[in-house]
Amino acid sequence: SGTTPGIQNIFLGRCLAYQEIIKPYPQTTVDCNSLWVKFTTSFEGKEPCGLTSKDYSDFIETSLSSLPEDKAMFWSGTYRVAHDYAESGKRFITLEDTLLGYIMNGLVWCGQTAPPGINYHSCPSFNGCPVAANTAFWGKASSQFASRARGTVTVLLDGSNPAKPAYRTDSYFARFELPSLSPEEVQMVNIYVVHAVNQPYRETCNNGTLPAMQRAVKEHGLKYTCQDNPQAILHLLCVDSPGSLMCRIAQHGNYSH
Ligand code: NFD
């Protein structure tokens, strides 16, 4: 598929709405028109597969500001529940709750050497380039986001997916985020293993890929905790299966055994 239709309007609209209406946490103001120019300058007129994270440095560094303490949240395989829990930056701040991530989430774009420099008709698929073009942007955005985390950070991993291990060394989290956490600024990594309701616990804090992840966190010089399906996460998942046994919450005057 090609570049997202109307990408300039979406970009500018998201940028303005984020700063004028959404404002999830205090940040310095960024001019949306100059940000659009920095974005297009990153890839315009260039081979779509020839980009590196350097091409996006100026754009990414202009739009990402500092993060409040204890708020950064990372997710891997847990997009929906992580964002439900983060509550649009009110409880936790994911990359998608920052100005940069909010503007860019879900957009598709690519350049071309021929005029007009942006390809509106066809862009390489996610795996279509030798080094995915996606990684040039999202890898840099992820590492810059993680490098701004302070205090306690929270990571949500998927312990129920038979096709994808909870901790994959080829995930953005493992490749770009964990290595960018500052051992000086980050005091604790709280790992939450998410288990789908009514599914067997495939991987837990003590099984599967989680021990390797905890070793990696420790080797990076960080302290951690690990919890399987904490109550707050379970309660969020239970919205979709309120009647299932593991979702039953005792109510005053309505206990069932
Ligand atoms: P993931 P992760 N094809 O859930 N982040 O740890 C297509 F089309 O496995 C945010 O790798 O976890 N898309 C964003 C794919 C993107 C494919 C990257 C694929 N084969 C990284 N594989 C974002 N907002 O878009 C992976 N993806 C894409 C940061 C797809 O968009 C976040 O701060 C999927 O939703 C988070 O902490 C996304 O990669 C961590 O890295 C993540 O795949 C999540 O990357």
Side-chain angles (χ1 to χ4, degrees):
S1 62
T3 293
T4 303
I7 190 166
Q8 183 171 3
N9 289 328
I10 295 172
F11 185 107
L12 293 173
R14 283 180 173 182
C15 181
L16 289 168
Y18 185 91
Q19 298 189 93
E20 298 296 338
I21 302 164
I22 302 168
K23 303 178 212 176
Y25 56 97
Q27 288 169 77
T28 48
T29 311
V30 173
D31 179 76
C32 293
N33 288 303
S34 35
L35 199 59
W36 168 257
V37 173
K38 282 185 195 291
F39 168 58
T40 54
T41 306
S42 310
F43 67 93
E44 214 171 6
K46 298 179 186 172
E47 252 346 310
C49 290
L51 293 168
T52 69
S53 59
K54 262 209 180 82
D55 292 298
Y56 289 108
S57 295
D58 188 26
F59 168 52
I60 289 171
E61 273 149 33
T62 307
S63 53
L64 269 181
S65 65
S66 65
L67 289 172
E69 206 171 344
D70 304 333
K71 292 289 191 181
M73 172 174 280
F74 306 96
W75 51 271
S76 204
T78 53
Y79 185 91
R80 185 170 168 186
V81 70
H83 290 92
D84 284 353
Y85 192 32
E87 195 77 50
S88 307
K90 290 191 278 292
R91 188 173 293 113
F92 289 105
I93 298 170
T94 66
L95 174 56
E96 297 70 35
D97 301 310
T98 65
L99 174 67
L100 176 69
Y102 182 81
I103 294 173
M104 300 304 289
N105 202 15
L107 296 183
V108 177
W109 69 91
C110 66
Q112 59 182 30
T113 48
I118 296 179
N119 192 329
Y120 289 98
H121 305 291
S122 86
C123 288
S125 69
F126 188 86
N127 297 310
C129 298
V131 176
N134 233 292
T135 308
F137 173 75
W138 286 108
K140 176 84 179 178
S142 299
S143 62
Q144 288 295 307
F145 170 65
S147 72
R148 285 161 170 77
R150 305 183 289 126
T152 298
V153 305
T154 308
V155 187
L156 265 66
L157 301 175
D158 183 358
S160 292
N161 188 343
K164 264 187 178 185
Y167 177 70
R168 289 171 295 118
T169 50
D170 65 347
S171 68
Y172 280 96
F173 173 72
R175 290 170 66 201
F176 299 101
E177 296 183 319
L178 179 54
S180 304
L181 293 177
S182 159
E184 286 75 39
E185 299 290 338
V186 175
Q187 267 78 52
M188 186 62 69
V189 179
N190 287 340
I191 306 163
Y192 295 165
V193 185
V194 178
H195 299 283
V197 174
N198 293 335
Q199 300 285 310
Y201 275 33
R202 290 188 60 87
E203 293 187 59
T204 68
C205 289
N206 301 318
N207 283 299
T209 54
L210 268 304
M213 149 130 189
Q214 291 163 62
R215 275 197 300 278
V217 170
K218 202 175 161 186
E219 274 162 25
H220 190 60
L222 298 164
K223 292 200 177 91
Y224 64 87
T225 67
C226 185
Q227 270 183 276
D228 285 297
N229 243 17
Q231 292 279 300
I233 301 286
L234 175 63
H235 292 165
L236 276 173
L237 298 175
C238 282
V239 167
D240 292 321
S241 356
S244 87
L245 203 56
M246 66 190 279
C247 290
R248 294 209 189 155
I249 298 170
Q251 285 169 359
H252 181 68
N254 184 23
Y255 294 95
S256 49
H257 297 281

